Amino acid sequence: MSTIASLDALRARREEILARQKARNGKIVINVSLATCSIAAGGKVALEAMQDEVALNGIANVEFMQSGCMTFCYAEPTVEITLPGKAPVVFGGVDEAKARELVTEYVMKGEPVEGIIPVTYERVVL
Amino acid sequence: MAATTDIKQLRIATRNCGFIDPESLDDYIAVRGYEGLAKVLTMTPAEVVEVIKTAGLRGRGGGGFPTGVKWGIALSNQADQKYIVCNADEGDPGAFMDRAVLEGDPHSVVEAMAIGGYAIGATLGAVYIRAEYPLAIKRLRKAIDDARAMGLLGKNIFGSGFNFDIEIKYGAGAFVCGEETALIKSMEGRRGEPVSKPPFPAQSGYWKKPTIVNNVETLANIPAIVIKGADWFSSIGTATSKGTKVFALAGKIVNVGLIEVPMGTTLREVIFDIGGGCPDGKEFKAVQTGGPSGGALAHKDLDVAIDYESLIARKSMMGSGGMVVMDEDDCMVSVAKFFLDFTMDETCGKCTPCRIGSKRLYEILDKITKGHGTKADLARLKSLSDSIKDTALCGLGQTMPNPILSTMDTFGHEYEAHVSQKKCPAHVCTAMLTYTINPAKCTGCTLCTKVCPVECISGTKKQPHVIDASKCIKCGACYDKCKFDSIIKM
Ligand SMILES: Cc1cc2nc3c(=O)[nH]c(=O)nc-3n(C[C@H](O)[C@H](O)[C@H](O)COP(=O)(O)O)c2cc1C
Ligand code: SF4
Ligand code: SF4
Ligand code: SF4
Ligand code: FES
């Protein structure tokens, strides 16, 4: 990969990445918090259970990603799911059973599942 | 969980935590990563320093020193080599803000260090991080490697002629090594002991060169300030404290976790609206801010608008952001003892007031919680605390008595009860507890006799039972077991 040698190159690179991310808009994005805290609480178990459940049900348009601390220690493990055209929703207390339920109920049918963490912050986006 | 619809939090330092993949440089670039660095490279170092000064950013590592002023000092000190150091030692019990930032958004810290390096004229940076943070280290290392591979660190960054690189230094987890002069000693491979200031690190630091030490959270704010502007940042917060502060809520609080709020938010909003209050309907009693260097704030302080000055005025301090909440079941003498136990272990031993003083303070507190305290002990606690504050060399020793002084101030009656009536009002100090059975309520169900580990409860079935106080070890098993509320703890 070539280096980013100027501000223009950085901006061009950003446009490329944003275009790629836009292509993700039609997909279901499952973002699992994997910081020390969330891993200790079972974040990786939740991730694997959801990957397994997605495969079992043959859902094709799911993209998994990992992120850092979602800040909700009281509700770890936490998972953020974005359905196409909908606002991201964060679910807490995602143990293995809840992880599978999220796939079969929320992802597949759009049915609400318990454990939604309300958004109580404003985030500065640069 | 308490239902709150009000948006009280504002995320600047943690803006990307949980939203981007920390191991992906592309994810960071997508949120305008490294644009701040590109922007400052078109400015003069003095202009960059001015932006940070105007923004009013102050150090989030505890001291609250204006970051721009510190950068300005290092800029004006001429030297063949200067350094910028990121302090990721994070040793306060109950604090994990910096870890979350490094694990969730490491590039923001890398970018900020490069910006700071340019502003003061440093070409080398170092992150001092505790070895107990393996995931943070792994992600930080990857961020540095990826940035370097892309030419965002290294030689001639963005074709500007500016060279900058970062190395990682590991700490062994000594609290005192978070103090900047001890940290620098430790980085040089020497014993992590503080030295007296001045000279300040900005004058003579790492290898005696001008060195800026900045906290992780302080740095995480920098790219946002550069991109959104100093005026935007300084419009948030109070007259003296700008921007936001990340706190780690821990202890007796429903929503344990990290929060980020604008300076000037009240403690009540933090603890009740965001934190959801104490679990199990218990009464809020106090919150310790500033960790082992801070103090306990109580009901009377709930409407204080949090900033550096207001917390000091209430005999506590901002500290790095740990907030440990206590409820009605907590004994404030024991809380003070807990923190002294910590500082007693962590004193580096270089100076006498701190080394011996912490031990003596702990012993007095221990004596009080065991029911042997006297009024004279309370006076000794106070005078010893005052002299340690005045004579210790570094911040660790100077602030060590704060948990005692502030709890004595606000919860003096609890200390009184311990020494005068030999009672612990919160029923925590076991030495002063007694368990008895209320004969009017006891049904003689015999359940308690089965759980008592020393078999000191006797009685005939269906008749009131009695506890032999001389044998009772105060384990509380009977109290927890009795279904008829017949056992009295006092
Ligand atoms: C005993 C002691 C421990 C400290 N621990 C830390 C720490 O873990 N992290 C930190 O950033 N600052 C810590 N500090 C404060 C540092 O000395 C220094 O003021 C700070 O890193 C400066 O960065 P800032 O201006 O960005 O806050 C500690 C200070 C003392 C006295
Ligand atoms: S005050 Fe305590 S920690 Fe600081 S130098 Fe003295 S002995 Fe060491
Ligand atoms: S407190 Fe423990 S030791 Fe004392 S009577 Fe009850 S069960 Fe027995
Ligand atoms: S468990 Fe309670 S009610 Fe039963 S014998 Fe013991 S004290 Fe009495
Ligand atoms: S520190 Fe990350 S959720 Fe608790």
Side-chain angles (χ1 to χ4, degrees):
Chain A
M1 240 185 308
S2 65
T3 59
I4 302 174
S6 67
L7 177 57
D8 286 340
L10 179 69
R11 291 211 168 119
R13 172 93 182 195
R14 178 162 182 256
E15 289 310 316
E16 251 174 65
I17 298 165
L18 290 178
R20 229 188 306 133
Q21 290 188 345
K22 217 176 204 152
R24 219 161 60 177
N25 280 354
K27 290 193 168 184
I28 298 154
V29 180
I30 300 182
N31 169 10
V32 183
S33 171
L34 291 180
T36 298
C37 43
S38 12
I39 294 171
K44 283 188 175 161
V45 176
L47 173 62
E48 279 162 25
M50 295 183 88
Q51 283 169 331
D52 185 51
E53 200 62 38
V54 163
L56 277 178
N57 290 284
I59 318 170
N61 60 334
V62 174
E63 189 161 321
F64 283 94
M65 69 169 275
Q66 66 157 356
S67 67
C69 173
M70 290 190 185
T71 75
F72 312 109
C73 305
Y74 63 94
E76 288 298 334
T78 48
V79 172
E80 180 196 66
I81 304 181
T82 313
L83 300 182
K86 290 201 174 169
V89 179
V90 177
F91 296 89
V94 185
D95 57 10
E96 166 143 25
K98 170 74 87 47
R100 293 185 184 277
E101 188 190 348
L102 280 173
V103 174
T104 54
E105 299 305 309
Y106 187 67
V107 171
M108 293 175 66
K109 302 182 205 148
E111 294 284 341
V113 170
E114 255 186 57
I116 295 179
I117 299 176
V119 178
T120 58
Y121 56 80
E122 180 191 333
R123 175 191 169 209
V124 169
V125 181
L126 300 182
Chain B
M1 195 173 59
T4 48
T5 45
D6 279 4
I7 305 289
K8 300 250 152 102
Q9 297 195 60
L10 178 63
R11 293 176 59 174
I12 301 176
T14 61
R15 63 192 175 280
N16 295 326
C17 292
F19 298 99
I20 66 169
D21 180 346
E23 297 185 25
S24 161
L25 174 59
D26 279 358
D27 265 28
Y28 185 63
I29 290 177
V31 291
R32 298 184 71 184
Y34 293 98
E35 269 186 45
L37 176 58
K39 186 171 170 185
V40 303
L41 292 180
T42 65
M43 302 160 63
T44 66
E47 284 167 351
V48 182
V49 167
E50 205 47 44
V51 168
I52 304 303
K53 270 189 197 165
T54 314
L57 176 65
R58 295 171 64 177
R60 303 294 193 242
F65 193 82
T67 308
V69 174
K70 191 149 85 175
W71 286 15
I73 297 169
L75 172 63
S76 62
N77 283 315
Q78 299 302 321
D80 54 347
Q81 180 67 60
K82 300 179 192 177
Y83 299 97
I84 178 159
V85 175
C86 168
N87 188 344
D89 193 52
E90 196 165 53
D92 287 24
F96 43 86
M97 304 76 49
D98 296 348
R99 191 196 70 207
V101 169
L102 288 170
E103 288 181 358
D105 191 19
H107 280 288
S108 68
V109 175
V110 172
E111 182 184 359
M113 288 179 74
I115 293 172
Y118 178 74
I120 66 164
T123 55
L124 277 174
V127 181
Y128 185 87
I129 184 166
R130 47 178 49 224
E132 290 107 319
Y133 279 1
L135 187 61
I137 290 169
K138 177 182 155 226
R139 289 185 176 160
L140 178 66
R141 179 165 292 288
K142 183 161 194 319
I144 293 170
D145 290 347
D146 289 353
R148 197 183 289 127
M150 270 296 155
L152 300 168
L153 287 178
K155 296 247 178 296
N156 193 20
I157 298 170
F158 289 122
S160 65
F162 172 58
N163 306 328
F164 188 76
D165 215 327
I166 299 176
E167 60 173 345
I168 301 180
K169 295 273 184 182
Y170 305 99
F175 178 57
V176 73
C177 285
E179 195 281 334
E180 54 189 6
T181 62
L183 181 148
I184 288 168
K185 286 278 162 287
S186 170
M187 283 192 8
E188 291 170 349
R190 294 195 248 175
R191 200 179 241 274
E193 282 178 351
V195 291
S196 60
K197 297 186 271 194
F200 291 93
Q203 303 160 312
S204 171
Y206 190 39
W207 302 123
K208 301 223 175 335
K209 303 291 181 188
T211 303
I212 288 300
V213 180
N214 271 138
N215 167 262
V216 172
E217 184 188 333
T218 310
L219 291 168
N221 281 293
I222 303 268
I225 293 172
V226 170
I227 289 187
K228 290 190 74 95
D231 294 340
W232 161 76
F233 192 79
S234 67
S235 71
I236 303 159
T238 66
T240 59
S241 309
K242 303 303 182 185
T244 57
K245 180 76 195 82
V246 182
F247 291 104
L249 293 184
K252 308 280 182 62
I253 184 121
V254 173
N255 297 337
V256 170
L258 282 185
I259 64 160
E260 182 172 354
V261 289
M263 296 280 187
T265 303
T266 67
L267 268 179
R268 188 185 301 281
E269 290 171 308
V270 167
I271 290 165
F272 293 95
D273 298 343
I274 301 172
C278 300
D280 306 322
K282 297 274 183 181
E283 181 90 11
F284 163 82
K285 185 169 185 177
V287 54
Q288 175 89 9
T289 63
S293 309
L297 299 160
H299 268 282
K300 62 176 173 44
D301 308 308
L302 280 177
D303 292 310
V304 169
I306 302 169
D307 73 8
Y308 292 98
E309 280 67 31
S310 68
L311 292 187
I312 284 172
R314 298 282 172 149
K315 291 203 171 90
S316 183
M317 63 183 266
M318 182 77 81
S320 61
M323 276 203 184
V324 184
V325 179
M326 271 96 43
D327 71 7
E328 55 187 291
D329 292 338
D330 286 300
C331 159
M332 298 314 288
V333 184
S334 304
V335 167
K337 185 171 125 179
F338 168 84
F339 284 110
L340 260 294
D341 189 18
F342 177 83
T343 28
M344 181 174 69
D345 274 350
E346 296 290 342
T347 166
C348 81
K350 182 172 179 175
C351 62
T352 320
C354 173
R355 182 181 69 242
I356 314 272
S358 59
K359 181 119 184 83
R360 291 291 101 85
L361 286 177
Y362 178 83
E363 285 166 357
I364 301 173
L365 290 171
D366 189 50
K367 183 178 165 195
I368 296 174
T369 57
K370 296 223 161 101
H372 306 304
T374 61
K375 284 219 165 229
D377 286 323
L378 297 187
R380 274 174 61 214
L381 265 185
K382 183 104 185 36
S383 66
L384 184 53
S385 291
D386 287 338
S387 48
I388 294 172
K389 269 179 99 84
D390 291 343
T391 52
L393 172 64
C394 85
L396 189 150
Q398 289 155 8
T399 59
M400 161 179 76
N402 287 353
I404 301 177
L405 292 173
S406 80
T407 49
M408 285 185 86
D409 202 42
T410 309
F411 298 96
H413 54 279
E414 278 192 41
Y415 281 83
E416 277 294 322
H418 280 75
V419 301
S420 308
Q421 296 128 42
K422 299 284 181 276
K423 288 280 173 230
C424 172
H427 306 310
V428 169
C429 299
T430 42
M432 283 171 277
L433 277 183
T434 54
Y435 286 90
T436 49
I437 292 174
N438 177 355
K441 276 190 166 181
C442 177
T443 63
C445 75
T446 77
L447 218 56
C448 56
T449 63
K450 300 196 174 80
V451 296
C452 177
V454 291
E455 298 180 350
C456 69
I457 310 178
S458 57
T460 16
K461 218 172 168 173
K462 301 204 171 133
Q463 296 295 316
H465 282 43
V466 281
I467 294 174
D468 180 349
S470 68
K471 288 196 195 132
C472 171
I473 58 164
K474 300 165 187 178
C475 71
C478 56
Y479 181 82
D480 292 338
K481 199 80 192 175
C482 178
K483 292 192 185 105
F484 303 94
D485 226 6
S486 333
I487 296 180
I488 306 161
K489 174 162 97 167
M490 58 180 288

